[in-house]
Amino acid sequence: MPRTGATEATDARSPLHRIGRNLRNPFALGYLALCLALLVWALVVTIADDSGESMAGVIPLLATAPTSLVFLSLPGGAPTLVLSLAVGALVNASVIGWCARALTRDNRSDPPR
């Protein structure tokens, strides 16, 4: 079924479309790659630590704050830590992508001089 112009305009303005557009920004993708690298590093260091006292998980947690700190209060141990890091990284990357788009788009709202 072909879409009408009004339906396409509505889809383009949906919150999920905006979030997806924000996450496809190169700065947001770079941030997500950095967060993934920090998470992998923290997991490797924690697994390699024999004493069980590794604090490597703090670094990716701080990189994805403040959202990750809210989700960290949930019970569950290591899976909750990974979930809080993932949600925090996605929220922060969306904000980074939104800011980058806002700073690089043409300022069409200003009247011509």
Side-chain angles (χ1 to χ4, degrees):
M1 173 193 264
R3 292 183 157 183
T4 63
T7 306
E8 289 176 5
T10 304
D11 289 345
R13 293 188 185 123
S14 72
L16 287 178
H17 179 75
R18 288 180 186 175
I19 291 171
R21 196 169 47 178
N22 290 342
L23 291 175
R24 286 189 301 267
N25 185 285
F27 294 109
L29 290 173
Y31 174 76
L32 286 174
L34 174 70
C35 289
L36 180 63
L38 287 173
L39 177 62
V40 169
W41 170 79
L43 290 174
V44 167
V45 168
T46 302
I47 290 170
D49 186 20
D50 292 337
S51 67
E53 299 174 356
S54 175
M55 295 292 291
V58 173
I59 302 299
L61 189 67
L62 291 176
T64 57
T67 308
S68 61
L69 297 176
V70 173
F71 282 91
L72 189 62
S73 63
L74 298 172
T80 303
L81 174 66
V82 173
L83 174 70
S84 66
L85 292 174
V87 171
L90 287 173
V91 169
N92 289 349
S94 182
V95 171
I96 289 169
W98 176 79
C99 289
R101 273 191 27 249
L103 290 172
T104 58
R105 71 175 172 227
D106 294 335
N107 197 359
R108 297 178 202 140
S109 62
D110 288 344
R113 292 184 183 193

